[in-house]
């Protein structure tokens, strides 16, 4: 079982409108909803790959109830979300049917109380110590009320339980989390620059390792991944530039890294899978889903160069 | 008890953002939610005036659950919404904090099945025949699946039960509903022109009566109301032009007419109350609420001229 943590879960809602005009009234032609937040997106891709996944984090209110209902319908997914008094936030994407452009409106999310945070920690501790837990992913931003050092605490608990842990966040939570020595971090170029002060990926990646991460896998958009690990360094790139919607490509890369780790694959295979899943997510018509045919086509054609 | 019918109920959500920019990402700074749809707005004003109100219509899904929860908290309101399988629609108002301008996004709402419509009709029939039912308001648009002649059926059932019935809708549902001879219709200038083909309010109002409505109370925006009734004709106007947000002013006028009817007041008093409540709604800082001080101030100063 792989455990994904999403402290700032969301109900992702997509509205399709003919064209968004400020200060006008719009009839929404299509409404779709699904569980959201980075860790839940990672979990969906892992489940689609056939891995058993347990999702931890918070859910509350009527939007939280929607989350529970949808997770219950999904195969391979176990819902271990901790109940909270506040309502899970909605994140709304308004898509112009004509242009395909998206306008995003994100609610702030509920305030997590100290008692709710403590209940989550108990549940997390128990889940990481279960015999079948193969890896943990800690994903996304922190909701109000959760201490900024939260990820450092969660990284240490996973390491104490002997479970490999991947951290995918940004800003101060990333800075503090890295110092707790996670097995992997997967920053994008902006997050890496914010962490290290360097815009030069190879230098910044090495710097991020010095700050505590055992392996740094930097996602460089269409150019693929740059990995600096205890076993060597690699660059993995897709065979062609894939056009489409990059939303969720980073979450798919995390799912690729974790699933390949759980299957005990070597680094080049992990990176190839992460790159292929990212490309297949960009190519998919629905944001955050991956296109299986593209995945299988790209997987064998990813270039992995390195010194491992 | 006054009964209000809202076939196309909604969960009204308001997002406040610093400024809405198409194709950008926005952090929502404030989220508010309340039961919506015209009949529920009328019910809220009636309850604020101290009348006991029962609300009928449909509710389903997690948004419907939010509706039930909020109605349960409101004094003077009895929830008689019929359960449906589909989810109650959301109507989202995105307010620019800088300018106060609003962008509206309305979901289409769930498909009502023939069995759900039949269950609603049973409940409606029972509610109109209760000894304490003083008046019925039929408000707003029809959701998918409800027959276009729905309001004609509901008008006839109310009249058969001996309960005065007010119809406030538009388009073909209004045209068919009017032919069933409701006690009152409350069209605005556009709805009246669409029904009669005339843009001249006095002529159009008389034409609407010939089509079947016993009394026609046309709302003419800031100019007030024009009423043509079996007891005479009146024009009622506020003492000054009130500035603000006209959202919900028509629903407040309906609440004014119904509450005054339930109190057996004569037409000039009904119209004065409707005009004062409309003005107090325009003046209120929150859309669809009314400002009690403005209501009490305006009420005694409404000009009612006529031949009744």
């Amino acid at each position: 079982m792989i455990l994904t943590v999403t402290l700032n879960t969301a109900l992702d809602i997509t509205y399709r409108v003919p064209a968004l005009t400020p200060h006008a009234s719009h009839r929404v032609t299509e409404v779709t909803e699904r569980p959201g937040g980075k860790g839940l997106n990672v979990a969906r891709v892992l489940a689609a790959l056939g891995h058993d996944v347990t999702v931890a984090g918070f859910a509350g209110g009527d939007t939280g109830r929607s989350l529970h209902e949808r997770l219950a319908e999904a195969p391979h997914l176990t819902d271990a979300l901790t109940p909270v008094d506040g309502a899970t936030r909605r994140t709304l994407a308004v898509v112009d049917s004509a242009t395909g452009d998206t306008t995003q409106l994100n609610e702030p999310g509920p305030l997590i109380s100290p008692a709710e945070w403590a209940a989550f920690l108990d549940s997390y501790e128990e889940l990481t110590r279960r015999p079948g837990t193969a890896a943990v992913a800690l994903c996304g931003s922190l909701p109000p009320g959760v201490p900024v050092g939260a990820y450092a605490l969660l990284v240490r608990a996973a390491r104490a339980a002997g479970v490999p842990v991947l951290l995918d966040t940004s800003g101060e939570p990333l800075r503090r989390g890295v110092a707790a020595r996670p097995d992997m971090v997967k920053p994008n170029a902006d997050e890496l620059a914010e962490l290290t002060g360097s815009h030069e990926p190879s230098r910044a990646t090495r710097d991020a390792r010095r700050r505590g991460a055992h392996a740094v896998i930097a996602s460089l958009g269409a150019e693929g991944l740059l990995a600096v690990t205890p076993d060597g360094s690699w660059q993995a790139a897709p065979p062609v530039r894939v056009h489409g919607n990059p939303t969720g490509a980073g979450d798919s890369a995390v799912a690729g890294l974790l699933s390949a780790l759980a299957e005990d694959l070597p680094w080049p295979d992990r990176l190839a899978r992460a790159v292929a899943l990212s490309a297949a997510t960009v190519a998919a018509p629905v944001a955050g889903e991956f296109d299986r045919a593209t995945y299988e086509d790209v997987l064998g054609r990813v270039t992995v160069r390195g010194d491992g």
Side-chain angles (χ1 to χ4, degrees), chain A:
Chain A
M1 179 270 280
I2 298 173
L3 174 64
T4 77
V5 171
T6 319
L7 296 176
N8 215 356
T9 51
L11 181 64
D12 277 353
I13 302 175
T14 303
Y15 281 176
R16 199 164 271 280
V17 297
L20 181 65
T21 313
H23 316 154
S25 188
H26 305 76
R27 193 175 292 269
V28 175
T29 55
E30 198 189 306
V31 183
T32 55
E33 291 185 14
R34 68 167 182 209
K38 290 172 83 70
L40 288 177
N41 297 340
V42 171
R44 184 167 41 237
V45 176
L46 284 168
L49 292 171
H51 281 268
D52 288 327
V53 195
T54 297
V55 296
F58 298 108
D62 293 306
T63 41
R65 202 142 35 192
S66 286
L67 232 58
H68 287 306
E69 283 166 8
R70 278 151 204 280
L71 291 172
E73 292 163 2
H76 298 300
L77 270 178
T78 302
D79 176 354
L81 297 174
T82 299
V84 289
D85 275 348
T88 297
R89 70 197 175 115
R90 285 169 287 226
T91 56
L92 176 66
V94 183
V95 179
D96 271 32
S97 290
T99 62
D101 286 322
T102 296
T103 306
Q104 190 73 36
L105 293 152
N106 296 332
E107 296 186 11
L111 181 73
I112 306 299
S113 74
E116 289 163 349
W117 173 236
F120 167 81
L121 284 177
D122 279 354
S123 155
Y124 175 79
E125 192 102 9
E126 191 274 314
L127 288 164
T128 52
R129 290 183 180 279
R130 279 194 196 169
T133 303
V136 179
L138 307 173
C139 304
S141 57
L142 301 180
V146 166
V148 69
Y151 282 136
L153 209 64
L154 301 185
V155 165
R156 278 188 219 106
R159 291 183 58 79
V163 178
V165 55
L166 182 151
L167 176 62
D168 184 13
T169 187
S170 59
E172 190 60 21
L174 173 60
R175 185 181 308 275
R176 304 234 190 159
V178 162
R181 307 190 59 73
D183 296 275
M184 294 175 266
V185 293
K186 194 221 61 58
N188 62 29
D190 287 346
E191 289 159 354
L192 198 55
E194 196 190 358
L195 177 67
T196 64
S198 166
H199 286 272
E200 203 281 291
S202 141
R203 166 183 301 206
T205 304
R206 275 161 227 283
D207 183 16
R209 279 200 76 209
R210 273 196 300 275
R211 288 167 184 267
H214 288 267
V216 179
I217 304 98
S219 57
L220 308 174
E223 282 156 55
L225 298 172
L226 171 62
V228 182
T229 83
D231 306 317
S233 302
W234 291 271
Q235 254 197 300
V240 288
R241 195 189 175 101
V242 178
H243 293 276
N245 185 343
T247 304
D251 300 333
S252 291
V254 169
L257 292 170
L258 279 181
S259 62
L261 168 73
E263 293 166 33
D264 263 335
L265 298 180
W267 273 108
D269 292 349
R270 296 185 202 175
L271 298 171
R273 184 179 289 185
V275 166
L277 277 174
S278 277
T281 301
V282 173
V286 178
E289 310 280 319
F290 75 93
D291 181 74
R292 198 169 287 270
T294 304
Y295 168 57
E296 280 160 13
D297 170 51
V298 170
L299 185 59
R301 303 197 289 136
V302 174
T303 322
V304 184
R305 290 207 180 82
D307 60 7

